Amino acid sequence: MALKNKLLLIVLDGVPYRNWRRLMGNLEGWVQSGDARVWKMRSVLPSTSACCYASMHTGVPPQVHGILANEIRFRVEEPDIFSEVTKAGGVTGAVTHSYWSEFFNRYPFDVVRDIEYDEPGPIAHGRFHTMTNYGHDNQMTPSDTDMFATLTMLTRRFGIDYGILHTVTLDSMGHRFGHDCVQMDNACYYMDSALAAFLPRWLKDGYEVIVTADHGQTDRGHHGGREDEQQDVALYYFGKGRGPEPDALLDQLQLAPTILERLGVPVPASMKAKPFLE
Ligand SMILES: [Zn+2]
């Protein structure tokens, strides 16, 4: 193994802090048993998906990387987790929405060329979905179990050192139904149980795991602005690194340098936030 450690980042899109702590019984159970730790993390502004994806992976704010809306997309120039892991000799994998391929590999996304690729990097092993024709009444998200299985396949087939999985299921459910409803209770329950089926395998295979969201959502299913409900998410960590006090408020810009440090990859000068794990 080229790197000091290996790590998987699981991003559940659009899950506000309160839903994690109230509804994710498996994740909370592992916190209670001492197997995981949890903190609150605040997203960048705007608390919009594309802006947050780019900041989570580059460690710089939208005002620097320039992804300022879901409609403003290009290949981001700043170094990011994929580019730095590849440079250090590590193998990367992604099972995500196609925006991640556009920001960190090539833009625009060509659905035939880019739907799945295995190449030298920066994203070495990519498996993507576009959610084309997504809308309020037409969710168009893949099954989360299929995506968790795909990530697990990448870990075993290619021995990836760093892998990310990103699913929009809960964000879409929130935009559709809001949060104070039985549909969202059940959606969070099913996500938590789908994840629970895979998490012990990843840990057994030697991965550290971080589970978090890109941003929160209001009860009406909105995000993009400056508000605790729109910006604040939970971050669960399974691994040997030492973290801050339980009531610390993490900054989303800390995520990229923290992951690189856990992997033993040099942190580029553009990532100015302090890692939260040591
Ligand atoms: Zn989002």
Side-chain angles (χ1 to χ4, degrees), residues 13-14 49 53 171 214-215 223:
D13 202 299
S49 294
Y53 306 163
D171 180 78
D214 54 342
H215 51 73
H223 60 90

Side-chain angles (χ1 to χ4, degrees), residues 175-190:
H175 287 303
R176 192 172 186 180
F177 294 105
H179 289 262
D180 186 16
C181 60
V182 74
Q183 288 89 348
M184 183 56 79
D185 291 348
N186 287 331
C188 288
Y189 173 82
Y190 289 128

Side-chain angles (χ1 to χ4, degrees), residues 125-252:
H125 303 286
R127 305 290 184 269
F128 302 101
H129 56 276
T130 67
M131 289 172 61
T132 303
N133 297 327
Y134 157 80
H136 180 272
D137 297 321
N138 200 32
Q139 186 154 321
M140 303 304 275
T141 52
S143 160
D144 298 298
T145 289
D146 295 352
M147 287 200 281
F148 291 135
T150 303
L151 179 70
T152 309
M153 176 274 288
L154 294 182
T155 66
R156 296 191 172 177
R157 190 177 295 175
F158 301 107
I160 57 175
D161 300 290
Y162 170 71
I164 176 177
L165 180 144
H166 161 245
T167 163
V168 188
T169 299
L170 295 180
D171 180 78
S172 296
M173 289 296 287
H175 287 303
R176 192 172 186 180
F177 294 105
H179 289 262
D180 186 16
C181 60
V182 74
Q183 288 89 348
M184 183 56 79
D185 291 348
N186 287 331
C188 288
Y189 173 82
Y190 289 128
M191 179 65 79
D192 180 67
S193 61
L195 181 57
F198 289 94
L199 222 149
R201 301 189 216 187
W202 301 334
L203 299 174
K204 197 160 157 265
D205 288 346
Y207 286 94
E208 296 201 353
V209 179
I210 291 175
V211 184
T212 190
D214 54 342
H215 51 73
Q217 262 195 4
T218 64
D219 278 341
R220 287 206 298 253
H222 186 68
H223 60 90
R226 182 200 285 282
E227 185 183 24
D228 294 0
E229 284 196 338
Q230 298 181 57
Q231 287 179 272
D232 292 355
V233 303
L235 181 139
Y236 295 84
Y237 169 63
F238 298 75
K240 292 194 171 64
R242 275 186 304 135
E245 292 305 304
D247 60 351
L249 176 63
L250 307 181
D251 176 349
Q252 196 168 44

